[in-house]
Amino acid sequence: MFELSDLKQTRVYQEALAEGEKQGLERGLQEGLERGLERGLERGLERGLERGLERGLERGLERGLERGLQEGKRLVVENLLRVRFGELDPEIQAIISRILQLSPEEFTPLLLQYSKQELLKRFPPEKSRGN
């Protein structure tokens, strides 16, 4: 009678065992790769989203702060001009963007001390490019 130890010695058993090990390794590798890829992709996506959100928030806050500061500066200039000269006519409106290129330390004394004519002389209207 054949015993298990005798069966293990046969060529058919050895080939079947080798084939089983081979298939097991292939399946294990395949499943390991699939799981690794899934986990890697999940982690990569999570980290990418986190970093993207952080950078987006930082940039958005920076831009919003910059816009807010610019808008606040514009309001200060417009208010100082209104207090000095009343309603802002087109000539004065045309020089506001150039005044805003100065720092508050530079534009404040000008707006408080210069007459309308002096401001227009200091910031002459830009010539149109077609002329």
Side-chain angles (χ1 to χ4, degrees):
M1 193 162 188
F2 272 110
E3 292 201 18
L4 184 58
S5 60
D6 294 332
L7 182 60
K8 288 181 180 179
Q9 301 300 322
T10 65
R11 184 174 56 90
V12 172
Y13 179 84
Q14 294 296 323
E15 288 174 358
L17 181 63
E19 183 62 27
E21 287 176 346
K22 181 181 171 188
Q23 287 178 3
L25 282 172
E26 287 174 0
R27 283 185 189 160
L29 282 172
Q30 185 64 33
E31 288 179 14
L33 284 172
E34 288 174 6
R35 288 182 186 162
L37 281 172
E38 287 174 9
R39 289 182 183 158
L41 286 172
E42 286 175 11
R43 288 181 183 158
L45 284 171
E46 287 174 9
R47 288 181 183 158
L49 286 172
E50 287 173 7
R51 288 181 183 159
L53 285 172
E54 286 174 8
R55 288 180 184 162
L57 284 171
E58 286 174 9
R59 287 181 184 158
L61 287 172
E62 288 171 5
R63 288 180 183 162
L65 182 59
E66 183 63 31
R67 283 185 184 162
L69 289 172
Q70 289 173 354
E71 192 59 33
K73 190 175 172 182
R74 174 175 285 281
L75 288 173
V76 167
V77 168
E78 289 175 353
N79 285 333
L80 283 171
L81 289 168
R82 272 194 197 94
V83 167
R84 292 286 319 278
F85 309 118
E87 192 63 34
L88 302 180
D89 62 31
E91 286 181 307
I92 291 292
Q93 288 179 6
I95 66 170
I96 290 175
S97 63
R98 302 210 353 254
I99 294 171
L100 290 171
Q101 294 172 2
L102 301 174
S103 70
E105 293 80 16
E106 294 172 309
F107 72 65
T108 302
L110 296 177
L111 298 180
L112 292 176
Q113 296 170 4
Y114 279 27
S115 68
K116 179 179 174 182
Q117 290 72 27
E118 289 171 318
L119 284 173
L120 293 173
K121 186 176 179 183
R122 170 79 160 71
F123 301 98
E126 294 179 350
K127 295 180 181 178
S128 62
R129 294 187 177 154
N131 293 340

